[in-house]
């Protein structure tokens, strides 16, 4: 009720769409998602939710600030400045120790404390080469962490108070430099002198009820990210400044943190008492988080600038938003004052372009919602749409959906448009939006298990494609048109249909594995474009059989290398025809440039079975071919594969893939007699204790697929795939 009273006093404002809860939320400094979001329910808690302590003291460490600065990356020289604010007058001296991960002492210093009461003490250590090592993100090196111990001692050397923390040494920069071959500027992060392609996820609070999120749950979620090759997590502005343990684990695992201030999708006020309250809030959290080496960027808000563009608001204030005073004045000042060495700060996400144009793909970062929402574009257009935040939703795993039916007559609720499913789907116009994407790409179904599978396959195809084509634009020095992809979203706060790539119970959807495949060090991409007989509005990879006719097709093939050295590899292209025994194969040796993507073929005619004499060639004979690309190292080890199928998938013939499986220890080898798309492996009842190294992949005849499975313990594997969406047992041979 208090928020509604403030709304009456200061006026009703825009706060996102009608799916994001009551707009009065902007006046209250609490987790905004509690008011409802388009993936979570309205559960507005109140009161203190973190432990409250009463501590007594005569003398204490009031504040400890540690400034770990990299002086030279190559020699790994650094400095550490320690600032201690002391309250009370009983301390005789201050002792500081820096220890490595094994507990070995690196530096020690003791400094006398002047008499007379409250004071500040500083120490400045210059660390020479060999004393410390740099902290590196996932895939780039080790996450070297050090323990800083600070203690106040009395005259006898007894400890009066102490403060310990983990620190790391790293340098992070945000580069926005002119591009060489394209309009606009980069939006590229450089860590320890290395430009990095950031691939990761957006993070929402992991539960509707924050007190239920344990350290174990935080670790499980963040470990999932590392397992999937993701190196960056964005703490979204509609949740909370996360628990200390969250950032500690990110430090440990090497996951960079994009940290929003807690403002999301709203026209926030800027009256004096509100600004003063927010300033105290931000200072407190900057001081709490600034020592974490994982902290890579601070951001003023999530999509608040979009509120002007969406609604054409005219609030009679500078820039159109009252809270611009926070995003563009207060926050930059506070970051400069309290975060040293500096961490990049951006006004908002998205932010870039002129005026209120936050969707300019040539500047800053872009939230790409013209797929699913907005213009309702096909996901096959991601390559021509800019983006850093984006997403496509799906149903959760079938075992998770079982909770929907616990308190209802499940016989009458197990269908895609049931009341139970609607209760767990908060997205606006979700049935219409699902219908557009699903009906364009897949055959319609009323079976719940099949529908669940198809939504997850669609999500996997869309997200994997986006990562693949945007990583293609990581073109090397001065050509970093796209420098990262952060999918919306990693996780859920309850069991729901949502954009999450792992559902509420941490069960991986196929999209999780699709992203993991695209975040490997070396990847290969194939993209097809089908030319029609006249101007049309159809997705470019689609073969058409109605108002338009398909007259030719071309393919692009590229390879990407995130390693910091060149890679010598072999590329194999293999093309097979679904309607005949025609095949085509070629190989070539490539040298992949370090930390860049290169085009191998561009606009190349798609191989196909030769036309018979006198044949018309409409539809184009490439309409039935698969184009598979494999990259191997020079010893023959498979590094990456990509199989491009004729689209839309709803026209593909349904075939028995004749899956043959061999299990030796934890190694599972799969072979097929006919191509299979989106093969999902599952053990009913083992959703939480069977681990797969990969899932939701494609296989073609003659190319066995090898993966690791742990925790099987003799249980039966079930398979689902396009055309066989309902899970069925897999027959396995054990040598």
């Amino acid at each position: 009720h208090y928020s509604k009273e403030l709304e009456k006093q200061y006026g009703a404002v825009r706060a996102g769409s009608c799916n994001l809860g009551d707009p009065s939320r902007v006046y209250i400094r609490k987790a905004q998602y509690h008011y409802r979001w388009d993936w979570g329910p309205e559960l507005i808690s109140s009161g203190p939710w973190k432990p409250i302590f009463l501590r007594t003291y005569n003398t204490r460490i009031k504040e400890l600030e540690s400034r770990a600065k990299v002086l030279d990356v190559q020699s790994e020289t650094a400095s550490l400045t320690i600032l201690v604010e002391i309250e009370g007058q009983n301390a005789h001296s201050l002792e500081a120790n820096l220890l490595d991960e094994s507990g070995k002492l690196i530096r020690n210093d003791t400094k006398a404390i002047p008499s007379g009461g409250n004071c500040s003490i500083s120490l400045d250590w210059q660390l020479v080469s060999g004393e410390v090592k740099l902290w590196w993100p996932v895939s780039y090196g080790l996450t070297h962490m050090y323990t800083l111990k600070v203690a106040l001692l009395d005259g006898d050397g007894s400890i009066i108070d102490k403060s310990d923390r983990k620190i790391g040494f790293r340098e992070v920069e945000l580069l926005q430099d002119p591009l060489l071959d394209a309009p606009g500027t980069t939006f590229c992060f450089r860590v320890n002198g290395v430009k990095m392609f950031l691939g990761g996820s957006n993070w929402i609070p992991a539960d509707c009820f924050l007190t239920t999120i344990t350290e174990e749950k935080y670790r499980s979620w963040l470990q999932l990210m590392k397992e999937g090759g993701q190196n960056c997590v964005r703490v979204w502005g509609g949740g909370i400044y996360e628990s200390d343990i969250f950032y500690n684990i990110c430090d440990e695992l090497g996951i960079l943190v994009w940290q929003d201030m807690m403002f999301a999708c709203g026209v926030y006020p800027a009256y004096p008492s509100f600004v003063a309250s927010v300033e105290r809030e931000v200072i407190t959290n900057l001081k709490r988080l600034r020592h974490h080496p994982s902290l890579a960027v601070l951001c003023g808000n999530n999509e608040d600038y979009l509120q002007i563009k969406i609604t054409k608001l005219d609030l009679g204030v500078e820039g159109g938003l009252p809270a611009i005073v926070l995003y563009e004045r207060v926050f930059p000042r506070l970051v400069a004052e309290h975060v040293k060495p500096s961490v990049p700060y951006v006004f908002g996400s998205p932010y870039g372009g002129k005026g209120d144009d936050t969707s300019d793909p040539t500047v800053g970062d872009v939230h790409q919602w013209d797929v699913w929402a907005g213009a309702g574009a096909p996901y096959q257009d991601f390559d021509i749409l800019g983006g850093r935040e984006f997403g496509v939703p799906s149903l959760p795993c079938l075992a998770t959906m079982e909770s929907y039916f616990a308190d209802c007559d499940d016989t009458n609720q197990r269908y895609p448009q049931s009341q139970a499913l609607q209760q767990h789907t908060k997205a606006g116009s979700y049935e219409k939006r699902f219908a557009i994407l699903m009906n364009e790409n897949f055959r319609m179904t009323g079976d719940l298990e099949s529908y669940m599978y198809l939504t997850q396959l669609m999500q996997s195809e869309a997200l994997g494609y986006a990562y693949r084509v945007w990583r293609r634009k990581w073109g090397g020095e001065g050509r970093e048109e796209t420098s990262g992809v952060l999918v919306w979203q990693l996780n859920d706060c309850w069991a729901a249909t949502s954009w999450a790539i792992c559902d509420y119970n941490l069960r991986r959807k196929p999209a999780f594995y699709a992203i993991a495949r695209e975040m490997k060090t070396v990847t290969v991409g194939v993209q097809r474009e089908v030319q029609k007989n006249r101007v049309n509005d159809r997705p470019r990879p689609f073969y058409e059989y109605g108002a338009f006719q398909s007259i030719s097709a071309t393919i692009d093939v590229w390879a990407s290398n995130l390693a910091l050295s060149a890679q010598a590899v072999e590329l194999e292209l293999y093309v097979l025809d679904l309607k005949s025994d025609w095949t085509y194969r070629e190989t070539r040796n490539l040298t992949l440039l370090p930390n860049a993507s290169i085009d191998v073929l561009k606009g190349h005619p798609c191989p196909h079975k030769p036309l018979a004499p006198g044949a018309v060639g409409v539809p184009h004979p490439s309409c039935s071919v698969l184009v598979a690309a494999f990259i191997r190292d020079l010893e023959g080890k498979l590094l990456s594969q990509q199989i491009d199928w004729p689209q839309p998938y709803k026209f593909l013939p349904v075939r028995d893939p004749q899956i043959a499986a061999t299990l030796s220890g934890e190694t599972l080898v799969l072979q097929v007699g006919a191509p299979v798309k989106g093969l999902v492996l599952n053990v009913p009842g083992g959703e939480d204790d069977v681990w797969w190294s990969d899932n939701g992949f494609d296989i073609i005849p003659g190319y066995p697929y090898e993966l690791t499975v742990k925790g099987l313990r003799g249980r039966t594997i079930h398979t689902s795939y396009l055309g066989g969406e309902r899970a069925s047992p897999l027959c396995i041979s054990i040598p």
Side-chain angles (χ1 to χ4, degrees), residues 472 525 527 555-559 571 573 584 586 588 598-605 607 627:
R472 181 186 183 184
Q527 183 176 3
I555 58 169
D556 290 357
V557 178
W558 65 92
L571 169 68
L573 284 181
Y584 168 85
E586 71 169 87
R588 60 178 71 188
I598 61 168
D599 285 339
V600 181
L601 297 175
K602 193 170 183 179
H604 185 78
V627 181

Side-chain angles (χ1 to χ4, degrees), residues 99-137:
L99 298 90
D100 68 13
E101 292 150 301
S102 68
K104 178 184 176 182
L105 182 66
I106 298 172
R107 284 293 181 99
N108 166 269
D109 204 352
T110 302
K111 198 165 188 177
I113 298 174
S115 59
N118 302 348
C119 66
S120 296
I121 299 291
S122 66
L123 297 170
D124 191 10
W125 293 339
Q126 302 299 308
L127 301 166
V128 300
S129 180
E131 286 194 285
V132 296
K133 294 183 179 297
L134 302 186
W135 180 95
W136 289 94

Side-chain angles (χ1 to χ4, degrees), residues 34-52:
H34 282 165
Y35 285 81
R36 190 177 80 247
W37 223 261
D38 50 7
W39 35 256
E42 183 175 341
L43 295 168
I44 305 175
S45 59
S46 64
W49 60 278
K50 291 185 177 181
I52 297 174

